[in-house]
Amino acid sequence: MIKIKIFLGVDHQGAKYKDDIITYLKNNGIDIETSELKNSDADDYPDFAYDICKKVLQENALGILVCGSGIGMSIAANKVKGIRCARVFDENDAFTAKNHNGANIIAFGTNLSLDTIYKIIDTFIATKSPCEERHLRRIEKVMKIENGDYNLSLIHI
């Protein structure tokens, strides 16, 4: 059995779910590590996103980010080379993010219920990484964009 590690980052709005998510993951045998940054009313989501992204890349792990909407965290995370973060709303989003788009981090907002959050997390963890050629081809193109190597003129229109 492969041991899965999850890195969790939450800003001041996401902090309300932090302990619940940690407990849920630990109770399900998942190795969980949180950002060492402290939450306060004046904290900034990019700090947590960046901290978790670096840890995910260093350990080839998965990440979860939680802020008010999930939008800010996902935008900040996607600025880090090697990260593919998707803002997700439900189980289908979590499946598609990982299986089609190769997401290594998901982000969501505090407007979701804990039950929905747990289903999203379960789906994200259980979903296999992309293996179909069409998904791998698309991810490769995204990586070329990220590296500045994408050449649209090579696309046959």
Side-chain angles (χ1 to χ4, degrees):
M1 182 173 188
I2 297 172
K3 185 72 171 165
I4 296 171
K5 185 166 193 175
I6 300 282
F7 288 96
L8 173 66
V10 301
D11 72 355
H12 59 281
Q13 291 188 64
K16 76 179 194 177
Y17 285 147
K18 182 177 180 179
D19 291 337
D20 293 314
I21 292 171
I22 291 169
T23 300
Y24 182 76
L25 290 170
K26 284 184 177 180
N27 287 345
N28 284 284
I30 305 296
D31 187 10
I32 175 81
E33 188 175 318
T34 61
S35 174
E36 295 172 10
L37 302 173
K38 301 297 179 209
N39 289 111
S40 74
D41 288 341
D43 68 24
D44 295 319
Y45 65 82
D47 301 330
F48 295 94
Y50 184 77
D51 184 44
I52 294 305
C53 288
K54 289 300 184 185
K55 293 173 188 299
V56 165
L57 291 171
Q58 287 170 353
E59 298 202 27
N60 194 28
L62 297 175
I64 298 171
L65 298 171
V66 188
C67 65
S69 67
I71 296 169
M73 286 282 208
S74 64
I75 290 171
N78 281 312
K79 298 299 181 186
V80 178
K81 186 175 182 175
I83 293 297
R84 284 182 301 282
C85 178
R87 177 184 179 235
V88 298
F89 253 152
D90 57 29
E91 296 165 79
N92 185 63
D93 285 353
F95 174 84
T96 303
K98 191 169 178 189
N99 185 263
H100 293 198
N101 307 115
N104 48 8
I105 297 180
I106 53 171
F108 48 80
T110 57
N111 57 332
L112 301 177
S113 70
L114 275 173
D115 183 55
T116 298
I117 289 170
Y118 296 154
K119 289 176 183 177
I120 287 170
I121 290 170
D122 288 346
T123 301
F124 183 61
I125 291 170
T127 299
K128 304 286 186 213
S129 294
C131 61
E132 291 182 41
E133 187 277 329
R134 65 188 172 122
H135 299 310
L136 296 172
R137 180 183 71 245
R138 293 166 185 160
I139 292 167
E140 180 65 29
K141 287 181 178 186
V142 170
M143 291 169 56
K144 285 183 178 188
I145 292 170
E146 179 179 68
N147 291 323
D149 298 331
Y150 191 78
N151 188 344
L152 192 57
S153 66
L154 297 176
I155 306 303
H156 302 287
I157 300 175

